Amino acid sequence: MAKLQPWQAAPKNISQQNIVDLFDNKIPYIAVKNFLSLSECHLLISAILKLGLGGYNYHFDINTAPPAQHLFETHYLYENKTPEEYFSAAEKSIKEYKQLCDEIKLYPDKKMMSLLAEHLQKPVVIASQDGKYYSHIIIRELKNSALLHADFAPFIPSYWSISNIIAEFAWNIYLSDAGKGGECVVYNKPWGKEDDKYITGDTYGYDHEVVKDKEFVEIYPAQGSLVLFNSRNFHEVKSSENSRIAMGGHIGLTKTGEVILWV
Ligand SMILES: [Fe+2]
């Protein structure tokens, strides 16, 4: 990996250059304030709570991995299972998400995809494989912290089409008022294979030794804001006063220059 360069300051707005710089890890994040209005946030929250959130069906050591609630499937839980198992679960999530949006006539994912497509001057599409779509949105509720980790699809098995991406960032829209805390801490330290020796016990978390002395930023989850950060960089989330309800997912750049979404 090329030598790490210090980040430039986070930009004040979103632009084509900023999105390219985010893929290239030249800037720490892009924040779009008031991407959704407070009334849109409230509308989404009540629709989400009506559907209900559930626990992750994954074997974590609950003494060290703080619990979180979620709605809709995430690819993360299927990385070592078969694509068939994932895509049938994804189909259900896609349907449920569409129903949720149709009910309140609000489509935050489409709004975000159009914003990116408009700036990038090219289509931003949902990832697919053998004619089947990935689920591209997850809704999480979290009051606890989230452990230090990185998200980068090329480290998953190659039978997943998304593993072919060359750069990736995460998107989050924060729907609730977190009160004090809840910052997402992003370190200027992209994940590399050699870092897996720092995985701690039976969790998804890494020891902080992996980011020792690295530059970092703390991003406050302002209600209604859209935040994009390069998720190959190690990141963690601090616990907050109120529980945080956020929707988000992953965006990748393929070798052929396509921009794709999945979760
Ligand atoms: Fe993450």
Side-chain angles (χ1 to χ4, degrees):
M1 194 182 297
K3 195 178 170 295
L4 266 185
Q5 298 296 326
W7 280 321
Q8 297 159 20
K12 297 260 184 291
N13 47 33
I14 189 165
S15 69
Q16 183 180 44
Q17 188 60 51
N18 293 338
I19 301 168
V20 171
D21 285 349
L22 194 67
F23 273 133
D24 291 342
N25 196 31
K26 290 184 177 162
I27 54 172
Y29 65 93
I30 299 171
V32 181
K33 280 186 197 153
N34 305 314
F35 178 75
L36 293 182
S37 69
L38 284 188
S39 58
E40 288 174 325
C41 289
H42 293 150
L43 207 56
L44 274 160
I45 289 175
S46 47
I48 289 162
L49 294 180
K50 212 168 94 190
L51 267 181
L53 296 108
Y56 280 92
N57 180 19
Y58 198 81
H59 173 64
F60 284 138
D61 175 353
I62 53 157
N63 296 312
T64 43
Q69 299 283 308
H70 77 126
L71 177 63
F72 308 134
E73 288 296 339
T74 163
H75 179 263
Y76 176 70
L77 303 176
Y78 292 83
E79 281 169 6
N80 294 309
K81 296 185 185 176
T82 65
E84 289 73 29
E85 285 174 271
Y86 168 74
F87 284 109
S88 71
E91 202 181 333
K92 190 166 165 263
S93 289
I94 295 165
K95 241 184 235 158
E96 282 176 355
Y97 175 68
K98 190 181 173 302
Q99 271 166 10
L100 184 149
C101 293
D102 284 347
E103 199 182 302
I104 55 173
K105 310 254 181 314
L106 197 60
Y107 302 85
D109 58 325
K110 292 206 173 97
K111 186 174 177 182
M112 194 242 351
M113 289 164 77
S114 326
L115 180 73
L116 293 177
E118 189 186 301
H119 285 292
L120 286 170
Q121 294 289 303
K122 61 168 144 184
V124 170
V125 299
I126 295 166
S128 61
Q129 176 168 334
D130 301 327
K132 292 189 173 128
Y133 285 109
Y134 281 78
S135 177
H136 67 290
I137 202 150
I138 187 159
I139 297 177
R140 277 178 284 232
E141 180 175 16
L142 187 68
K143 192 173 181 186
N144 284 290
S145 53
L147 301 178
L148 183 68
H149 70 282
D151 306 296
F152 188 48
F155 67 39
I156 66 174
S158 60
Y159 51 79
W160 296 103
S161 64
I162 52 171
S163 67
N164 285 315
I165 56 109
I166 51 170
E168 175 174 338
F169 61 77
W171 66 277
N172 276 294
I173 302 170
Y174 299 106
L175 303 177
S176 64
D177 174 9
K180 279 203 190 89
E183 291 88 355
C184 175
V185 188
V186 185
Y187 296 85
N188 190 354
K189 163 65 180 125
W191 170 89
K193 251 193 177 62
E194 65 285 1
D195 297 323
D196 281 352
K197 61 177 180 282
Y198 293 106
I199 294 177
T200 56
D202 184 19
T203 74
Y204 62 92
Y206 287 67
D207 191 287
H208 278 83
E209 189 65 23
V210 73
V211 292
K212 196 174 163 224
D213 302 326
K214 298 293 185 239
E215 180 184 20
F216 66 92
V217 287
E218 294 192 350
I219 312 164
Y220 181 74
Q223 194 173 15
S225 66
L226 164 70
V227 170
L228 315 173
F229 68 90
N230 188 312
S231 58
R232 183 175 180 170
N233 282 321
F234 281 94
H235 52 280
E236 61 188 323
V237 187
K238 292 182 172 182
S239 61
S240 52
E241 187 184 3
N242 307 328
S243 82
R244 306 180 299 279
I245 299 181
M247 58 201 313
H250 302 287
I251 297 176
L253 180 67
T254 70
K255 284 174 195 144
T256 50
E258 275 191 291
V259 179
I260 57 169
L261 260 80
W262 75 94
V263 69

